[in-house]
Amino acid sequence: MIYPIRLYGDPVLRKRAQPVQEFGGLKRLAQDMLETMFEARGVGLAAPQIGLSQRFFVAVEYADEPEGEERPLRDLVRRVFVVANPVILHREGEVEGLEGCLSLPGLYSEEVPRAERIRVAYQDEEGQGRTLELEGYMARVFQHEIDHLDGVLFFERLPKPKREAFLEENRMELARLQKEARALLKELSQG
Ligand code: NI
């Protein structure tokens, strides 16, 4: 099943999500979230982005797309991460890099600061405890998704002057997204 993705302005994106306690339906949910993410051509999707305020996300490491061909993303999957109740145990280094978000389609910043390397503890879809060391791009993706679980969006990681510039430059688009988020919520509440 493909879920509608909640947009900037939806209050669920601002809430601190609750720990996952029930692992029964998680495999199915992970499949549906991956399908939703492939459809939207994303690298990660957090549960609040489908309206579920739970500490859970999926992320994928992709192989590079062959030059000049657009392949369905699912054909380029190198590794799938299904992550519940993540905790960052250790951070090292700082790098700026490009980020966007499926809840802020079309908006990007190239200067989002993140730790270069992290160690993360989490539970997999069966509730099994795991730890993982990540660096570079996947470390960035995990930090972005974990922020979603705390109600934080990528531009809020920018230092204040850059954050203000981002909000100013994208003022019209952000207002449009908020309007669209409200329309989607209304549609969903009417079933
Ligand atoms: Ni995002």
Side-chain angles (χ1 to χ4, degrees), residues 124-137:
D124 66 15
E125 66 268 47
E126 279 157 359
Q128 196 71 39
R130 291 174 181 253
T131 61
L132 199 57
E133 297 199 14
L134 295 164
E135 66 173 290
Y137 187 63

Side-chain angles (χ1 to χ4, degrees), residues 49 100-102 144-145 148:
Q49 293 181 278
C101 181
L102 295 177
H144 177 116
E145 299 311 327
H148 271 302

Side-chain angles (χ1 to χ4, degrees), residues 135-153:
E135 66 173 290
Y137 187 63
M138 287 318 293
R140 174 173 296 279
V141 171
F142 267 58
Q143 290 169 83
H144 177 116
E145 299 311 327
I146 291 169
D147 268 357
H148 271 302
L149 311 183
D150 294 320
V152 175
L153 300 170

Side-chain angles (χ1 to χ4, degrees), residues 20 23 26 55-57 82-87 121-125:
V20 174
F23 287 82
L26 222 54
R55 304 189 76 76
F56 181 64
F57 70 84
V82 174
V83 178
N85 303 328
V87 178
Y122 67 99
Q123 287 167 282
D124 66 15
E125 66 268 47

